[in-house]
Amino acid sequence: MVKNPYKPYPVKIDEIIVETDDRNLRTFHFKFLNPEDEAAFQYLPGQFAEISVPGQGEIPIGIASSPTEKGYLKFTVNKAGKVTTYLHNMKPGDIIGVRGPLGNWYPWDKLEGSNVVIIGGGFAFTTLRSSIVYMLDPANRPKFGNITVIYGARNPGLLLYKEELFDWERRDDIVMHITVDATNDPNWKYNVGFVPAITKEKAPSSENAYAIVCGPPIMIKFTLPVLRELGFAPDRIITSLEMRMKCGIGMCGRCNIGTEYVCKDGPVFTFEQLSHLPNEY
């Protein structure tokens, strides 16, 4: 029987974590109600899913968990509208739906054997978190060269996954550059500066390296030229777009850029691919 692409899998909210000081970003752990649904939900870092709340609607959200983390799915949700506000008021044990996985993923087959630079900003760090956990898994770590992460937020209280960030910083198989735009915290011991500037200062050599960039459009706009200056070829700069996505399967036509649908042909594109599309992203 052909699977209905609009039918979500039922999941239970297992855990809710408040990520940021303003309490607008919360991470939800979902557990599948049916083991066969969990087995069918095979994904790779970079993909997204539609979270559906009965009676409220559904929203596309990048998957923050890694496929190496078994037993649950993880999404970080910004309270910004009807569905997300309702979801923020739900409790562990409540039942919702997850439809997916959807879209393409970061090109892991091409990245193997190369150094990888992860550059992220603010709330858009979710699929990058999935990527880092995926690469650091003992079964995958030997497949990749040096891993460097540059991640920033407006202030320390808006950084996601703080405990993991500081755990990764203590490891010797990943280089972390954490930054904030500004802070009054006298105990802040990390970088202060915008992500593009920190990238220019801290990013490693572009030799045998790929850069994955995900963040606010303004951050991406000013980071891409920096990477080009550093010698990253357009086909080695990878980004993820999440603009205007609705149905998630290329049917509603809301998210097209030229001939490409962000939800179906993306959300992952190389800078080279984007250079051939209208500048509508």
Side-chain angles (χ1 to χ4, degrees), residues 176-240:
M176 299 292 298
H177 298 294
I178 303 168
T179 187
V180 294
D181 296 352
T183 180
N184 294 321
D185 183 355
N187 297 317
W188 178 254
K189 62 178 184 179
Y190 304 98
N191 299 283
V192 176
F194 296 116
V195 167
I198 300 301
T199 300
K200 189 169 187 176
E201 180 183 343
K202 305 284 188 178
S205 167
S206 59
E207 185 175 352
N208 190 34
Y210 282 86
I212 301 177
V213 187
C214 197
I218 190 70
M219 188 211 84
I220 294 176
K221 176 181 179 181
F222 286 101
T223 299
L224 291 179
V226 170
L227 290 171
R228 294 291 291 127
E229 285 179 28
L230 293 172
F232 284 83
D235 64 342
R236 286 178 170 259
I237 302 173
I238 302 159
T239 191
S240 180

Side-chain angles (χ1 to χ4, degrees), residues 13-20 23-29 72 74-77 88 92 129 160-164:
I13 299 175
D14 186 59
E15 184 179 6
I16 303 172
I17 301 167
V18 177
E19 292 283 355
T20 52
R23 306 183 67 82
N24 284 331
L25 285 158
R26 298 188 179 196
T27 293
F28 295 80
H29 287 197
Y72 65 92
K74 179 170 182 167
F75 295 86
T76 300
V77 180
H88 268 235
R129 186 258 173 206
L160 298 179
Y161 319 126
K162 294 181 186 63
E163 290 187 12
E164 284 185 315

Side-chain angles (χ1 to χ4, degrees), residues 224 228 234 237-239 269-276 281:
L224 291 179
R228 294 291 291 127
I237 302 173
I238 302 159
T239 191
F269 296 93
T270 65
F271 186 51
E272 180 181 42
Q273 289 173 309
L274 292 178
S275 68
H276 297 296
Y281 49 88

Side-chain angles (χ1 to χ4, degrees), residues 259-279:
T259 58
E260 305 294 301
Y261 289 93
V262 173
C263 70
K264 183 171 66 71
D265 302 310
V268 174
F269 296 93
T270 65
F271 186 51
E272 180 181 42
Q273 289 173 309
L274 292 178
S275 68
H276 297 296
L277 298 177
N279 188 17

Side-chain angles (χ1 to χ4, degrees), residues 43-46 63-70 105-109 111-112 116 118 126-144 147 164 168 171 174 212:
Y43 67 100
L44 284 171
I63 304 172
S65 52
S66 162
T68 57
E69 298 174 299
K70 303 299 183 184
W105 49 85
Y106 299 123
W108 296 109
D109 53 342
L111 296 179
E112 288 188 9
V116 180
I118 300 279
T126 55
T127 60
L128 299 183
R129 186 258 173 206
S130 171
S131 303
I132 294 166
V133 173
Y134 177 77
M135 288 190 290
L136 291 179
D137 185 85
N140 292 329
R141 186 64 189 88
K143 300 176 184 176
F144 303 96
I147 301 172
E164 284 185 315
W168 294 334
R171 296 176 61 131
I174 182 172
I212 301 177

